[in-house]
Amino acid sequence: MIQANSSVAILGIGTAVPAFKLEQAHTSMRITEALQDYPDSARWAKRIFKQCGVETRYTCEPNLLEPADRCRYFLQSPSEQWPSTAERMETYKRESVPLALAAARKALDDANVPASDITHLITVSCTGQFLPGMDTILVSRLGLAATVNRLPLNFLGCAAGLRGISLSKQIIANHAAAKVLMVCVELCTLHIQPSSEREALFGASFFGDGASACVSGSLEHERSAANGAFRLGADRSVLLSDCADEMVWEVGNFGFDLYLSPNIPRLIGRYIPEQIEQLISEHGKPELWAIHPGGKGIIDTLAELYGLSEEQSRPSRTVLRNYGNMSSATILFVLSEMRQGLMERDAGPSNGLALAFGPGLTCEMIQFGYVPSNQRREAQLNEIHV
């Protein structure tokens, strides 16, 4: 699927999560308690928390672990104590920076690329903003050159991480010496609403906090990263018509208000196969599937349409189960989980497809190929020789 002369690749990946873990069963119990005056909403919340495919998530907000009557983000708390959007943005500014730095440093180490070699910095987030922005802090704290090209991608939703990867590929394709660092940080749990509305409860059931980063560059003389690389191929971005109201993310007085239509998996099943076929028609069905776990229904829909095995959907389901949906940061968690599995079973080169979806509805796709590390390939050759 990936052209042999394609030299652009993800050379290193880093991920990070906050210290506080939300156990799904415990969170469901506390939200149900907070909704005791709204029995229909409480029953619905209990069901969706159980069925959404999440077991644990992480949050930067320790108050979300408090009992229902002391949690300021739940409906049972007095309205004058609900955190305002301004307060949530202060928390975002304080808590996002350490996560972004941790993920970025891991990605640089994983790629074995010094910070001074980075020519372009892409920063991605849709759960908070401040100025001077995250990009300026990363430049000074990571030791990037003051002249590094800074490209913020803000408020593009869950698809933004994959859009950033495609943008990295385009930059390197035109400037072979470029090294691009992309950093995604999302603190989704800051926007849990004190509400009994189903839309708000649905978002509260599976979003989590996390940061991810990757370093992309050219694979020089077939040199791959120590832990293997993902060679990048053709990409495709499409905005589906008449779907703008299916996924909405707006600024409210108490954080950002999210609406996710229950029709999204059905719409993906209806419109996305045509887009996938146009991208992969010349090369056949991919072996590896990196599906952004925007919800269990999205994974289920694509798995059924393409007859995916348990192993093919495992990286996406594992990330959803252990971390929830971390918006733009999630796709690199999926690729990291996939790479770990490929390394553990000593897999050889294989081709894949990554997909993510965002407001619009937007679909981002890119072909990729897994390239084992030089050390592993040398071991395989020695084994064959023996």
Side-chain angles (χ1 to χ4, degrees):
M1 182 179 294
I2 307 303
Q3 297 298 319
N5 60 0
S6 173
S7 62
V8 183
I10 295 175
L11 305 174
I13 299 175
T15 62
V17 293
F20 305 105
K21 181 186 286 190
L22 291 172
E23 299 287 349
Q24 189 76 338
H26 184 231
T27 307
S28 174
M29 179 187 69
R30 291 185 298 114
I31 284 190
T32 301
E33 180 183 342
L35 294 169
Q36 59 185 346
D37 294 332
Y38 304 87
D40 290 343
S41 296
R43 283 191 294 271
W44 189 87
K46 189 173 183 179
R47 183 170 70 252
I48 197 64
F49 267 71
K50 185 176 182 179
Q51 295 175 352
C52 70
V54 176
E55 293 181 5
T56 57
R57 294 174 284 162
Y58 292 83
T59 179
C60 66
E61 175 54 273
N63 182 243
L64 283 170
L65 278 70
E66 294 287 337
D69 59 347
R70 295 208 298 269
C71 180
R72 300 175 61 209
Y73 293 77
F74 291 176
L75 191 60
Q76 194 171 351
S77 64
S79 58
E80 66 270 13
Q81 294 183 10
W82 295 347
S84 67
T85 300
E87 183 181 346
R88 296 175 198 235
M89 290 301 94
E90 279 298 315
T91 304
Y92 174 90
K93 183 177 180 179
R94 181 181 69 248
E95 300 295 337
S96 61
V97 172
L99 281 180
L101 287 168
R105 286 169 176 147
K106 288 178 183 177
L108 290 165
D109 288 345
D110 189 44
N112 194 26
V113 171
S116 57
D117 283 1
I118 297 298
T119 59
H120 295 74
L121 172 65
I122 300 174
T123 49
V124 184
S125 188
C126 71
T127 50
Q129 289 186 354
F130 58 88
L131 289 174
M134 178 73 67
D135 54 331
T136 62
I137 296 175
L138 292 175
V139 169
S140 62
R141 299 279 291 274
L142 293 175
L144 306 181
T147 54
V148 68
N149 288 281
R150 292 177 285 123
L151 302 166
L153 296 180
N154 296 324
F155 226 63
L156 294 181
C158 295
L162 203 49
R163 176 93 295 268
I165 291 172
S166 296
L167 179 58
S168 301
K169 187 206 72 172
Q170 293 164 16
I171 291 169
I172 299 160
N174 287 289
H175 305 280
K179 291 286 189 296
V180 182
L181 171 63
M182 182 182 76
V183 183
C184 308
V185 58
E186 304 287 10
L187 304 184
C188 303
T189 65
L190 288 181
H191 301 287
I192 289 178
Q193 301 288 316
S195 173
S196 62
E197 297 296 322
R198 290 192 174 192
E199 292 83 359
L201 295 170
F202 183 56
S205 71
F206 67 95
F207 277 101
D209 298 352
S212 63
C214 67
V215 175
S216 300
S218 296
L219 279 175
E220 302 166 1
H221 308 297
E222 292 300 311
R223 177 189 64 83
S224 65
N227 292 321
F230 287 116
R231 199 189 298 270
L232 300 174
D235 61 274
R236 185 174 180 83
S237 178
V238 60
L239 180 63
L240 303 181
S241 60
D242 301 323
C243 294
D245 295 333
E246 303 296 332
M247 190 184 298
V248 179
W249 189 231
E250 295 179 336
V251 179
N253 292 329
F254 302 103
F256 298 166
D257 298 327
L258 173 67
Y259 169 71
L260 293 174
S261 167
N263 296 324
I264 290 174
R266 180 181 61 82
L267 291 169
I268 287 173
R270 179 178 177 183
Y271 293 113
I272 297 305
E274 178 185 356
Q275 305 301 326
I276 292 176
E277 293 306 319
Q278 291 190 38
L279 184 62
I280 69 173
S281 58
E282 296 182 9
H283 307 286
K285 183 179 173 182
E287 304 165 62
L288 307 173
W289 289 75
I291 302 168
H292 168 74
K296 182 175 179 291
I298 292 175
I299 305 172
D300 290 345
T301 295
L302 291 169
E304 183 177 351
L305 280 171
Y306 289 93
L308 303 187
S309 68
E310 198 172 298
E311 177 55 36
Q312 286 175 305
S313 65
R314 183 195 60 79
S316 297
R317 296 191 192 278
T318 298
V319 170
L320 181 63
R321 182 176 66 249
N322 295 338
Y323 302 98
N325 178 1
M326 298 165 285
S327 192
S328 69
T330 319
I331 193 65
L332 284 170
F333 275 77
V334 173
L335 287 170
S336 180
E337 178 69 27
M338 176 180 290
R339 186 181 62 171
Q340 184 63 33
L342 291 166
M343 291 170 57
E344 288 175 356
R345 64 177 186 267
D346 294 330
S350 47
N351 291 315
L353 179 68
L355 307 94
F357 310 94
L361 289 171
T362 297
C363 176
E364 298 288 342
M365 297 179 284
I366 191 168
Q367 297 172 305
F368 67 88
Y370 172 65
V371 183
S373 67
N374 278 340
Q375 296 94 317
R376 178 57 202 154
R377 282 187 290 171
E378 289 171 4
Q380 288 175 328
L381 288 174
N382 290 337
E383 205 172 291
I384 293 171
H385 178 70
V386 171

